[in-house]
Amino acid sequence: MNAPEKFLSLEATLIREKRIRMGLTQLELACLLELKENGERTIRGWELGEHKPSKAKLAKILELHEEAPFRDENNKPKFRFIDLFAGIGGIRLPFQQLGGECVFSSEWDKFAQRTYAANYGEVPSGDITQIVASDIPDHDILMGGFPCQSFSQAGLKKGFEDTRGTMFFEIQRILGEKRPKVFLLENVKQLRGHDKGRTLQTILNILTGESDLSLDDVPMSEDAREALGKKLNYWVDYKVLRAADFGIPQNRERIFIVGFDRDYFGENIDFNKIFKWPVPTNQPTKVGDILESQEILDALEDKYTISDKLWAGHLRRKAEHGIKGNGFGYSLFNRESSYTNTISARYYKDGSEVLIDQSHLGKNPRKLTPRECARLQGFPDDFIVDAVSQGQIYKQFGNSVCVKVIQAVAKQIVTVLDQLETEK
């Protein structure tokens, strides 16, 4: 029998009320606190006053954001979708804003889970390889920016030889079981040319059901391998889109793959005529549009200005690369620059790909602030950027998508889905 609330300790009451205000289950709170086995039972024990958390754990609970600015409160969704390899929810946001309901999300990184929970009021499920496809709710649209390090310019480009590259087969597994009407996948531009185009062609052949390739040597989960026997039948197209072409001052290029289920919509539908990729707005961009005012920066007391030692290192390495005849090294931008380089997950290390010039102030260059990184990826200003450490949030924005580009693609997808459902 539960203890009467008036006899509960202050800690028990604080934890329970905090969790309820956040809209989390005991299991979700346990996940955010990185409690391992029996985490849900531990939370229940704290709330019942059976035992107390450590001071550090209690402080961590009390620091959690309560008001998730993008909590989904739509009671009449136009469509249902799932968010795989969700990161911090950059793909989710535009689809939710277009009237969709997210019925399932998955993200294994514990720090990304915290940022996701702070903004959406829910904790994504963990490792997708451990989730049975039939347990995932039915949905109309599957979306996911599957891990890209194995295909990226910055990585080793191992592709399917790298277990991160084989995460595509988890998507294929879920598509085979749940058969959503539409999917949207995102990856680095280098996927297009990896292994002379053979990696991308393998992916496309699997999605369209035209693959007879032997993948015996490719590492993947047993469930994913078994699902290869289920032939998919999606119309598929892909395109590389650049953030700077959609009003964001970042030279970020990503490949997007869209598919519509021909079994559901019918073989006679000519998707090449119906679905159109968004046309770039080509509006002029300027780095100054995403930068904080000098007044705000002054209040931060040079927190983001790099040290003399780091700046000297940047200068030395750039000079060394110059002697070798390559263009590697730091990149400097100012308010009048049209756009920056692509921000990456390694930005937290030294900021070399995007440094902001402060020579007019007699200072070393500075790194972007987390809020500026959010803007550089098209996130709205009410997106919470301090749910994790500064190093982690830099990684998260470097790994994320450009929301403005997703908005443009999502609008095209939802328009076609609405049209086809009306005709059907």
Side-chain angles (χ1 to χ4, degrees):
M1 184 174 180
N2 292 347
E5 190 169 327
K6 66 179 181 180
F7 294 123
L8 291 178
S9 67
L10 176 61
E11 291 91 344
T13 302
L14 285 174
I15 294 169
R16 178 175 178 276
E17 292 182 352
K18 176 89 173 187
R19 177 181 63 78
I20 291 173
R21 287 196 300 270
M22 291 181 68
L24 301 179
T25 65
Q26 291 174 336
L27 181 59
E28 287 176 320
L29 180 56
C31 179
L32 281 185
L33 297 176
E34 300 173 58
L35 300 179
K36 305 301 181 183
E37 294 182 15
N38 302 319
E40 184 177 13
R41 186 184 303 173
T42 298
I43 298 294
R44 188 181 305 117
W46 289 347
E47 293 187 359
L48 293 175
E50 295 173 351
H51 45 267
K52 295 182 179 181
S54 67
K55 289 183 178 180
K57 276 287 189 283
L58 181 60
K60 198 170 184 179
I61 293 171
L62 298 180
E63 287 171 1
L64 293 171
H65 287 273
E66 291 186 16
E67 297 299 326
F70 303 103
R71 187 187 301 277
D72 186 4
E73 297 178 343
N74 182 4
N75 295 322
K76 295 182 179 179
K78 295 179 181 178
F79 55 90
R80 292 155 57 92
F81 65 88
I82 66 171
D83 191 14
L84 303 180
F85 311 104
I88 57 176
I91 298 182
R92 168 179 175 152
L93 186 55
F95 282 92
Q96 184 171 300
Q97 292 171 331
L98 286 169
E101 176 190 10
C102 184
V103 295
F104 175 82
S105 59
S106 173
E107 170 55 51
W108 72 272
D109 184 85
K110 62 186 179 183
F111 299 105
Q113 285 180 333
R114 290 183 203 167
T115 297
Y116 197 102
N119 283 283
Y120 296 103
E122 61 188 69
V123 181
S125 298
D127 185 354
I128 192 63
T129 67
Q130 304 303 310
I131 295 171
V132 178
S134 58
D135 291 342
I136 296 175
D138 292 339
H139 51 280
D140 302 298
I141 305 175
L142 175 150
M143 57 189 68
F146 58 106
C148 61
Q149 293 95 327
S150 51
F151 306 114
S152 73
Q153 193 72 36
L156 298 177
K157 303 183 184 179
K158 290 185 176 181
F160 288 144
E161 297 175 16
D162 189 316
T163 55
R164 293 169 298 189
T166 62
M167 287 299 102
F168 163 74
F169 296 105
E170 300 304 320
I171 292 174
Q172 170 263 330
R173 170 174 70 91
I174 296 168
L175 287 172
E177 175 68 31
K178 305 305 295 188
R179 297 309 301 255
K181 301 165 188 174
V182 192
F183 65 74
L184 170 64
L185 308 180
E186 179 265 356
N187 211 295
V188 292
K189 180 183 72 169
Q190 286 74 21
L191 174 61
R192 184 175 56 179
H194 181 265
D195 194 18
K196 298 181 180 180
R198 286 188 283 266
T199 299
L200 177 59
Q201 194 57 55
T202 297
I203 289 174
L204 299 178
N205 287 346
I206 289 172
L207 294 171
T208 58
E210 299 171 3
S211 177
D212 293 317
L213 297 174
S214 172
L215 297 169
D216 293 341
D217 296 332
V218 176
M220 66 183 79
S221 68
E222 288 304 313
D223 287 345
R225 190 169 299 283
E226 182 179 338
L228 284 172
K230 296 181 180 180
K231 288 286 186 179
L232 303 179
N233 185 27
Y234 284 85
W235 171 87
V236 180
D237 197 15
Y238 68 90
K239 193 173 184 67
V240 172
L241 299 174
R242 188 176 77 127
D245 294 333
F246 291 86
I248 294 295
Q250 182 187 185
N251 189 32
R252 187 184 196 88
E253 294 180 293
R254 289 293 185 266
I255 189 170
F256 296 90
I257 306 173
V258 168
F260 287 83
D261 185 5
R262 289 184 293 203
D263 286 344
Y264 177 81
F265 291 112
E267 295 287 348
N268 61 330
I269 301 293
D270 188 349
F271 287 101
N272 289 301
K273 290 184 178 180
I274 295 176
F275 177 78
K276 302 296 181 184
W277 290 99
V279 177
T281 62
N282 290 323
Q283 66 190 80
T285 58
K286 190 169 66 173
V287 173
D289 293 339
I290 63 100
L291 298 182
E292 297 282 22
S293 68
Q294 193 57 51
E295 182 180 7
I296 290 177
L297 292 171
D298 288 343
L300 294 173
E301 299 179 343
D302 292 333
K303 180 179 179 181
Y304 299 96
T305 298
I306 64 175
S307 67
D308 291 341
K309 181 179 179 180
L310 181 54
W311 181 222
H314 281 319
L315 291 170
R316 184 184 68 256
R317 283 187 291 274
K318 186 145 190 170
E320 291 171 351
H321 287 306
I323 293 172
K324 295 176 183 177
N326 61 50
F328 296 121
Y330 70 88
S331 295
L332 206 58
F333 303 90
N334 59 41
R335 288 183 175 273
E336 299 306 314
S337 301
S338 296
Y339 50 76
T340 70
N341 291 338
T342 298
I343 189 172
S344 72
R346 67 172 299 282
Y347 188 70
Y348 75 98
K349 292 183 177 180
D350 58 19
S352 61
E353 62 258 46
V354 183
L355 288 174
I356 304 301
D357 183 32
Q358 296 188 118
S359 58
H360 61 291
L361 299 173
K363 298 178 180 179
N364 295 341
R366 69 174 179 86
K367 294 167 66 174
L368 295 169
T369 69
R371 178 59 65 200
E372 290 169 339
C373 289
R375 292 171 183 162
L376 198 60
Q377 290 285 44
F379 283 84
D381 271 1
D382 48 350
F383 192 87
I384 293 171
V385 300
D386 61 354
V388 293
S389 70
Q390 184 171 291
Q392 288 296 330
I393 199 67
Y394 278 141
K395 286 183 184 179
Q396 290 169 11
F397 283 121
N399 280 328
S400 188
V401 296
C402 178
V403 174
K404 286 290 185 183
V405 177
I406 299 297
Q407 285 175 342
V409 177
K411 185 175 180 180
Q412 298 298 103
I413 289 175
V414 173
T415 297
V416 173
L417 181 60
D418 285 345
Q419 176 187 338
L420 292 174
E421 290 286 42
T422 299
E423 294 174 357
K424 190 175 178 66

